[in-house]
Amino acid sequence: MIKAIQVFVLITFFLTPVYSQELSKKTPNVLFIVVDDLNTSLGCYGNKEVFSPNIDRLAAKGVRFDRAYCQYPLCNPSRASFLSGKRPETTGIYVLNVSARTALPNAVMLPQYFRQKGYFTAGAGKVFHNAKMSDVASWDFYEDNPSQDPEEKSAVDTRQGGGDGKPSSLALSSDGSRTRDAHNTQTILRFLREKVNEKKPFFLAAGFHKPHLPWTAPKRFFDLYPKDKISIPAEPKMSNVPPIALQTELSGFSQPNRKEAIQGYYACISFTDSQIGLLLDEMDKLSLWENTVVVLVGDNGFHLGDHDGLWAKLSQFDASTHVPMIMAGAGIPKGKVVNSPVELLDIYPTLVALSGGSTLPVLEGKNLVPFFSGKNRIIPPAKSMVFHYDSTQNVDVLGRTVINNQWRYTEWDGGKRGTELYIHKNDPKEYINQVNDQKTQKFAIKGKAVIANSQVPKTAEANRPRALLKPGMKTN
C-alpha cells in the first residue's frame, strides 16, 4: 500500500507542469519556519512577560504582520491550506487524518513549486501535519525523527497532556539537545552550511513541534516564569455569545491550574525561540540575509484559559485564529508593521513574487509585496472557518468568519445557530457580541455580504471528509 502511494505521488510529480529552471545569481533562498500552536504571546507582539528575543529580532529585521489569521484553527487543515495555496473550502480538509496530497492530487505544494523551479528543498520537523503525511513530491530531503530525550519521549508516548488529555507540563532535567525540535534544528543548520556556497538556491523548512502539547522543555525555561509572577489579566464579562461559539478542542476536560499551564506554554515558546536563535545566528555567520527570505508563522492560535475557561484552538475567537507572521531578508523592508488583516493563505503567492516567479493561477491568497512596499494600502478582509459538533443532531455546524480592520463577523450555519459581531476598537479580545446593536448593523451587513459572495464550492462541500469535531477529541 505504501509503495503504491509513493508511485502515485511520483507520477503526480512528473505530470505536474514544471516551471522555469532558469535561476539567476540573485534568485533568493527561502528559510520557512513553522511553529505549532504558537499564538501571539511574544515580546514583539506586545507580551511583556514572554522571553522571545530571537523572534523579536527577526521581527525587527523585517515586516511584522500584526493581524495575521489562519484559515482554519487546527493543525492539518491550516497547513494544508497555506502549503497548497487554497482555502479549506477548496481543499475539503477539516480533519487531521487526510493529507494535503490525498485531497489535492494535482496541486503544486509550496516547497514543490520551489523544487520544480530548480531549488534544493529540505524539510525537518512538522511542516505538513506529520511525517506520515508529508509530501514526497515536495522534498529532496525530509525527516522528523522521534525524540531521543527519555523524558520528552515518555511524555509524548504516554499522551501526557496531548489533545485527548488536559494540558500538562514537564520540566526536563536535560539540556534539551536530544529533543525532537533540537535535532531538527541541527538538520536545518547542516543544510544552511552545506548549501551556502552552491549555485543552486535552497528552500529549507524548519517545523517546530513546541509549544504544542505536551509542554516539555528544559527546566531553565520554566525558571523564566515563576508561577507566582505570572499575571492573569482581568477579563470583561461575555455578552450575547452563542453557545456554539464557546467550543474548543479541550472543551470537554476539567480546568487545569491556569498559572501552571501558562508557565508550561511560555516555557515551550522560549525553548523554541532559543532554537530559532540558532538558525538566525547561522544566517548572520554565513551572511545570508541579503539573498535569503525568512518567513516565520504559527499554524493557529491558542486559548490559555481566557473567555471563561477556553483552552487550545478550534474556536473563531481572535485567540484561536490570530497568529504571528513575520517576513525578513531579501526584498523585504526592515522594521515595518502591517496592521491590516492578512491571511496565512497569502504566504505562498508572496514567496513566489519575492523569488521572481509568476503567481500560479490556482492560488487563492494574495501577494503581500505591494502592501508592505507601500504600493497598495487597501487589503481585502481576512476569512476563517471552523466546524463544531452539535450533539443534539450528531452533525457538524459550519462557522464562517470575516475579519476587517474594525470588526469580526461570524455566522454559524448561515446564521441559524447564531451570529457574532465584535468591534475591535472597544473590544479587541472579543467578549461583547454587538450583532443586535442598531449602531453596528452596517458592519454586520458588510460581513454578511462578504460571506454571501464567497460561498463554499458545492464540489468541495460534497466531497469533504465528515469532520465530526467533538469537543475534547484527539487533535494532535
Side-chain angles (χ1 to χ4, degrees), residues 113-171:
Y113 168 82
F114 282 92
R115 189 183 188 196
Q116 293 184 351
K117 193 178 177 182
Y119 280 59
F120 169 81
T121 62
K126 187 173 180 178
V127 184
F128 288 87
H129 179 55
N130 58 35
K132 292 181 180 178
M133 293 165 63
S134 192
D135 184 49
V136 175
S138 288
W139 308 113
D140 291 300
F141 176 92
Y142 171 80
E143 71 175 12
D144 184 20
N145 296 319
S147 174
Q148 298 304 307
D149 185 293
E151 292 172 307
E152 182 185 61
K153 190 175 186 302
S154 176
V156 173
D157 291 347
T158 59
R159 311 264 329 140
Q160 179 183 345
D164 57 355
K166 69 178 184 179
S168 64
S169 307
L170 176 65

Side-chain angles (χ1 to χ4, degrees), residues 12-75:
T12 301
F13 170 71
F14 287 115
L15 290 179
T16 304
V18 177
Y19 298 90
S20 174
Q21 300 294 317
E22 296 180 5
L23 300 171
S24 71
K25 293 181 180 179
K26 294 184 179 179
T27 303
N29 306 303
V30 177
L31 174 59
F32 188 42
I33 302 171
V34 187
V35 187
D36 206 1
D37 280 1
L38 179 64
N39 65 18
T40 55
S41 296
L42 300 166
C44 58
Y45 280 87
N47 189 312
K48 298 184 184 303
E49 288 190 356
V50 173
F51 186 70
S52 56
N54 297 297
I55 296 176
D56 298 348
R57 69 167 157 137
L58 179 64
K61 276 183 172 287
V63 177
R64 187 187 82 229
F65 295 91
D66 205 37
R67 298 185 63 207
Y69 294 88
C70 65
Q71 268 47 70
Y72 199 105
L74 185 65
C75 305

Side-chain angles (χ1 to χ4, degrees), residues 150-394:
E151 292 172 307
E152 182 185 61
K153 190 175 186 302
S154 176
V156 173
D157 291 347
T158 59
R159 311 264 329 140
Q160 179 183 345
D164 57 355
K166 69 178 184 179
S168 64
S169 307
L170 176 65
L172 303 177
S173 59
S174 68
D175 63 0
S177 61
R178 299 182 68 194
T179 62
R180 198 176 196 178
D181 281 342
H183 174 81
N184 289 324
T185 299
Q186 292 302 314
T187 299
I188 297 300
L189 286 172
R190 173 167 58 86
F191 280 118
L192 283 172
R193 294 163 188 150
E194 288 179 359
K195 302 299 176 181
V196 63
N197 293 319
E198 293 188 7
K199 292 182 179 180
K200 193 174 186 178
F202 59 74
F203 179 103
L204 302 180
F208 291 96
H209 290 268
K210 302 303 175 186
H212 193 289
L213 287 163
W215 292 320
T216 56
K219 183 178 179 298
R220 68 182 184 277
F221 294 101
F222 279 79
D223 291 343
L224 294 171
Y225 307 103
K227 282 183 282 188
D228 60 346
K229 300 292 184 182
I230 292 174
S231 61
I232 304 294
E235 297 182 86
K237 184 178 180 181
M238 285 190 291
S239 174
N240 196 32
V241 179
I244 197 166
L246 297 172
Q247 291 191 47
T248 66
E249 68 169 317
L250 296 183
S251 294
F253 296 103
S254 59
Q255 293 292 318
N257 180 296
R258 192 173 179 188
K259 287 193 175 185
E260 182 176 295
I262 291 174
Q263 179 194 43
Y265 184 78
Y266 284 0
C268 286
I269 289 178
S270 292
F271 175 52
T272 299
D273 180 85
S274 72
Q275 297 300 307
I276 292 170
L278 297 177
L279 298 177
L280 302 187
D281 288 346
E282 200 65 26
M283 288 281 297
D284 292 339
K285 292 177 185 176
L286 299 175
S287 301
L288 279 168
W289 290 102
E290 293 302 317
N291 68 335
T292 304
V293 176
V294 180
V295 178
L296 181 145
V297 297
D299 61 351
N300 48 250
F302 202 90
H303 286 282
L304 292 169
D306 49 274
H307 291 78
D308 284 350
L310 297 186
W311 289 94
K313 58 260 191 181
L314 272 180
S315 85
Q316 287 291 276
F317 286 105
D318 188 87
S320 179
T321 60
H322 187 192
V323 296
M325 186 164 100
I326 299 166
M327 296 184 181
I332 301 171
K334 294 181 179 180
K336 188 176 181 65
V337 177
V338 174
N339 293 308
S340 297
V342 299
E343 306 170 276
L344 292 188
L345 196 68
D346 302 333
I347 294 170
Y348 194 154
T350 302
L351 283 176
V352 169
L354 287 169
S355 68
S358 300
T359 302
L360 302 177
V362 294
L363 300 182
E364 297 177 359
K366 54 191 172 293
N367 170 18
L368 295 175
V369 174
F371 301 104
F372 62 64
S373 64
K375 296 179 181 178
N376 195 333
R377 294 179 180 272
I378 301 174
I379 300 181
K383 287 176 277 187
S384 182
M385 65 179 295
V386 74
F387 279 95
H388 275 324
Y389 179 66
D390 180 356
S391 60
T392 62
Q393 299 185 33
N394 194 37

